Structures are given as C-alpha cells and as structure tokens.
Amino acid sequence: QVQLEESGGGSVQDGGSLRLSCVASGVVFSVYAAGWFRQAPGKEREFVAAISWSGQTTLYAPSVKGRFTASRDNAKNTVYLQMNSLKPEDTAVYYCAARPDTGRYHSNDVYAYWGQGTQVAVAS
C-alpha cells in the first residue's frame, strides 16, 4: 500500500521560504508522477505543482510559477516543493499526491494516493 508523508510546513513571514518534503513508502516511487496541492480555509483544494517520474517535466499553477520549484530524489523516495517569496495567500494545508506516471501531465490529473498534509502559514 502506498503511503505518503509530508513534512516541512511551518510559519514564516511574507517573503520567506520553506521547503516541503514528501516521503513515499510501499511503492517503487520512481514509476510515479507526483503532485502538490493545497487547501486554504473555506476554499477548495487546488493544484500547485506536478513532477514527472524522472523529474525532467514539471508543471506549475500560474499563481506559484517562478516562486515554487518541485524536485525529487527517487533514491530517497522523496519529492520536494521549494517555496520562495511566500505570500499570505499561500497560507494553506499542502498535500502531496502520487499516481502512476502516464507521460502526460495536467493540472486536472487524478491522483490515487494522498498524504495527510502539512500546514503552511505566511504572516503579513
């Protein structure tokens, strides 16, 4: 059974940085694409970023492009989300997700496996 566990959330000031990590277990992670999503209070969950199994292909939501960077280390079964120039509107619970890699990447892709989430709070 695939399990995903996020870490690295916390509280930062406007303009600060955080790096989220997501460790996968129970799976050969190198055949899975991974995604990052977030859900702010009172809002629907939204797509943030996606990364292919190799890390060579990434996709970002317009609201985070240029500020966030997804990467992965398959030897460690881990994907990362480096978040720079954080804004108060980035405050949310961030979720890691995984799906078998199909070679196609879209913000509407359906993910089979989800982590429990990690809280990110950005103060103005």
Side-chain angles (χ1 to χ4, degrees):
Q1 183 176 354
V2 179
Q3 292 185 321
L4 303 174
E5 183 173 0
E6 305 93 337
S7 62
S11 298
V12 296
Q13 293 293 316
D14 190 354
S17 298
L18 284 172
R19 188 176 81 155
L20 305 182
S21 299
C22 173
V23 179
S25 59
V27 64
V28 179
F29 201 43
S30 59
V31 301
Y32 283 75
W36 288 96
F37 294 77
R38 67 187 181 186
Q39 187 168 19
K43 296 186 177 181
E44 294 187 352
R45 185 173 63 195
E46 65 175 358
F47 169 81
V48 175
I51 185 167
S52 64
W53 71 270
S54 65
Q56 291 187 339
T57 301
T58 53
L59 180 68
Y60 298 96
S63 60
V64 307
K65 194 171 185 178
R67 300 188 298 122
F68 291 12
T69 302
S71 62
R72 65 191 297 161
D73 184 342
N74 287 334
K76 296 182 178 180
N77 269 14
T78 302
V79 294
Y80 304 97
L81 185 67
Q82 177 66 44
M83 305 186 296
N84 298 329
S85 302
L86 282 161
K87 306 174 182 180
E89 50 264 43
D90 294 319
T91 294
V93 176
Y94 283 72
Y95 298 91
C96 170
R99 62 177 178 86
D101 198 309
T102 61
R104 299 173 65 181
Y105 311 96
H106 192 276
S107 60
N108 289 335
D109 286 331
V110 176
Y111 287 78
Y113 307 104
W114 292 83
Q116 294 298 307
T118 185
Q119 176 72 52
V120 171
V122 185
S124 58

